[in-house]
Amino acid sequence: MGRQRGGPVIELRNCSKRYPSQLGQAAVDALEGVDLTIRPEEFVCLLGPSGCGKTTLLKAIAGLVSLDEGEVYIDGDLVTGPGPDRAMVFQDFALLPWADVVTNVAFGLELRGVPKATREKKAFELVQAVGLAGFDHHFPRQLSGGMQQRVGLARALAVDPQILLMDEPFGALDALTRRLLQEDLLTLLDRRRKTVVFVTHSMDEAVRLGDRVVLMTPRPGQVRDIVEVGLPRPRPPDLEKHPRFAELLEYLWQQLREMRP
Amino acid sequence: MNYALNGRLGTGRLAKRTTRAGLQALSLATFALGWELLARRLDSLLLPGFVETIAALVRLLTTSLLWEAVWLSNQAMVLGFSLAAVFGILLGLLMGRWRPAARYLDPYLNILLATPKAALIPIVIMATGLGLLSRVLITFSYALVVITINVRAGLSLIDPGWIEMSRSFGATESQLWRKVFIRGAFPAILTGLRLGLARAVSGMITVELLLVALGLGRLILDFQGRFDSGRLYATVLVVVAEAVALLQLFRWLERRVAPWAGNGVDR
Ligand SMILES: Nc1ncnc2c1ncn2[C@@H]1O[C@H](COP(=O)(O)OP(=O)(O)OP(=O)(O)O)[C@@H](O)[C@H]1O
Ligand SMILES: [Mg+2]
């Protein structure tokens, strides 16, 4: 809202995170010296093997995890906690089971003290926008996984963040639902222009969605490589046929294979 | 996809509900009939028939004797239960969210849980006398544990993911408590209150029968002493009816405020 073209820059400087040892378990170095600059209105995908610290990195940007070393800056401001400029979408949806769709979508606004009528109007619009018209008063357990994540997405968009942080949002969905949600996400973002940091396990997904793909090494997570996707936007429906698509997948696969322990 | 589905399930549920009500009515009718037949068969002063009991009940209901007893007994019960509700919810919340508190309080909770509470009655009466206070304390101790345990169990069902999600949207500590912990534990809190209420009623009657002859317990003892079995049974029916009515009220409340916890489809 009223934001100048360009949006915020996210800068991670030398970020390290160690989870201290607990009850007989060794301490875990989740991140080590991560430097990364995310450009305004860019869609960045974080790709890397399981346990390499992708979620930790995303939470550091969200302000949910305190780093042991290094800092995160958004437009030059040090991140010390969650803020209204960021919203997160979770792998397991994190919907409140006692709240219907509209109330779930409005939850972020509710926490920010937006009056009921205003926030429900906004939530109602977003329910339509994510393709859930008519499901306003259903409860999460009455929805399929794909529909639940649409609710999660609507909740994040409802607070109108400049930065969208998505942690394997489609990881729990079947292949077909996943493709549909990928397409719908791109359409939604087309009209909203946000900076997106998107964690995924899937090379295919990273290439379909991202402007750049950040490849991370196994634990402790470091940035191994950053790949410019360079595929046209809006992404054509037959993206697979693009020679660049196959080339990128091949390259990412090589890189990931070399990292195999 | 699901309007048709909901409609079908809706009528299905209605049919189910009528069958259930029918079966319950049948069960009660069989019981009353069996009772009446048994009483006629035995033809004893000690066992009044169902009809006789109901007649005695109707007569009792028109006297102030019963209502004064109900009022007296329930004073202690309501006060004791309310105190137990406040403390039980607070303790449960504290123990559910703060591990040291749980560790510290667990032994006491277990002791209270394991002790037959009737054993506490003489101790409480020795300490506080035969007045209202002792009866309040006893109903309180009957109801407290089950409320605490249920509230705590309710909190353990709160998904850490909901907490993290709320934080990511900037929830304050007090918002977290109100909108996540307490809201999420609400069905369990109501269940705890319902069970606590049943305990409180049983505490109220036990103390009146055992030590402080007063209220409904006193009535029961009086009628027993006079071999007035019709009114004795009628008074017991009143106690049972009160307990059942209160429990049903809570059941209904639970379903009203926590529709998501049920297995219904659309409410
Ligand atoms: N709260 C925590 N306490 C202790 N260790 C943790 C915690 N969170 C994560 N870890 C550890 O830190 C490492 C990185 O975790 P993280 O969740 O960031 O990885 P990830 O790349 O998101 O993995 P995945 O792809 O499986 O989601 C893992 O080894 C994990 O076990
Ligand atoms: Mg993860």
Side-chain angles (χ1 to χ4, degrees), chain A residues 207 229 231-232 238-250:
Chain A
V207 172
V229 172
L231 286 164
D238 55 350
L239 195 67
E240 312 64 12
K241 301 218 184 82
H242 206 286
R244 175 88 184 134
F245 183 80
E247 192 185 316
L248 282 164
L249 284 188
E250 180 58 26

Side-chain angles (χ1 to χ4, degrees), chain B residues 88-166:
Chain B
I89 291 173
L90 288 179
L91 276 179
L93 291 177
L94 187 69
M95 292 177 80
R97 289 306 310 165
W98 198 42
R99 192 155 298 169
R103 298 258 154 82
Y104 184 84
L105 292 168
D106 246 340
Y108 300 103
L109 213 61
N110 284 326
I111 289 172
L112 261 180
L113 190 65
T115 324
K117 274 168 235 38
L120 295 177
I121 294 178
I123 299 178
V124 173
I125 289 183
M126 282 261 279
T128 57
L130 293 169
L132 181 65
L133 179 63
S134 64
R135 288 181 298 130
V136 170
L137 281 178
I138 288 161
T139 44
F140 169 80
S141 74
Y142 265 70
L144 179 71
V145 180
V146 71
I147 299 177
T148 310
I149 287 177
N150 271 281
V151 174
R152 179 189 182 182
L155 281 183
S156 73
L157 297 178
I158 302 291
D159 186 336
W162 302 336
I163 304 172
E164 186 154 73
M165 180 277 292
S166 305

Side-chain angles (χ1 to χ4, degrees), chain B residues 59-82:
Chain B
R59 265 180 282 123
L60 255 187
L61 287 175
T62 57
T63 62
S64 61
L65 192 67
L66 178 76
W67 295 112
E68 270 163 23
V70 167
W71 164 244
L72 212 64
S73 293
N74 278 287
Q75 262 178 336
M77 198 276 286
V78 168
L79 285 173
F81 170 71
S82 307

Side-chain angles (χ1 to χ4, degrees), chain A residues 95 98 110-111 134 141-142, chain B residues 3 162 175 179 260 264-265:
Chain A
L95 301 182
W98 54 82
E110 181 182 344
L111 291 173
R141 71 189 150 80
Q142 299 172 266
Chain B
Y3 288 106
W162 302 336
Q175 282 179 323
K179 295 178 194 286
W260 74 91
V265 174

Side-chain angles (χ1 to χ4, degrees), chain A residues 42-230:
Chain A
E42 184 180 30
F43 196 129
V44 168
C45 290
L46 297 179
L47 183 66
S50 187
C52 72
K54 304 181 293 293
T55 298
T56 306
L57 188 61
L58 204 65
K59 285 184 187 166
I61 301 174
L64 291 170
V65 146
S66 61
L67 293 167
D68 296 306
E69 256 178 74
E71 303 87 25
V72 179
Y73 294 92
I74 294 178
D75 263 353
D77 295 329
L78 181 66
V79 168
T80 53
D85 53 344
R86 285 153 286 155
M88 203 155 169
V89 180
F90 299 84
Q91 174 169 15
D92 57 2
F93 322 138
L95 301 182
L96 302 173
W98 54 82
D100 63 13
V101 166
V102 164
T103 314
N104 263 297
V105 172
F107 191 64
L109 295 168
E110 181 182 344
L111 291 173
R112 287 170 196 184
V114 176
K116 191 172 167 93
T118 320
R119 67 178 189 247
E120 292 199 336
K121 182 162 173 288
K122 177 89 191 175
F124 182 75
E125 287 166 18
L126 274 152
V127 170
Q128 309 266 321
V130 298
L132 287 179
F135 289 92
D136 310 70
H137 297 296
H138 280 59
F139 286 92
R141 71 189 150 80
Q142 299 172 266
L143 305 177
S144 68
M147 292 160 90
Q148 293 192 37
Q149 193 57 296
R150 287 175 190 272
V151 177
L153 183 59
R155 175 178 60 196
L157 292 175
V159 296
D160 211 356
Q162 298 177 310
I163 300 167
L164 202 53
L165 304 170
M166 307 182 78
D167 189 7
E168 294 190 45
F170 309 146
L173 308 177
D174 66 86
L176 173 64
T177 311
R178 191 173 185 146
R179 283 290 299 274
L180 290 172
L181 268 141
Q182 288 168 354
E183 283 195 20
D184 290 354
L185 174 65
L186 289 183
T187 317
L188 280 165
L189 290 174
D190 239 14
R191 276 179 280 129
R192 283 162 227 264
R193 312 188 61 87
K194 300 189 181 300
T195 306
V196 182
V197 188
F198 189 107
V199 170
T200 178
H201 267 130
S202 155
M203 297 179 284
D204 176 270
E205 185 166 68
V207 172
R208 277 180 197 284
L209 298 179
D211 296 316
R212 283 192 300 165
V213 178
V214 175
L215 259 171
M216 291 178 67
T217 63
R219 207 170 43 232
Q222 289 171 317
V223 175
R224 177 183 169 107
D225 196 1
I226 300 180
V227 184
E228 291 280 351
V229 172

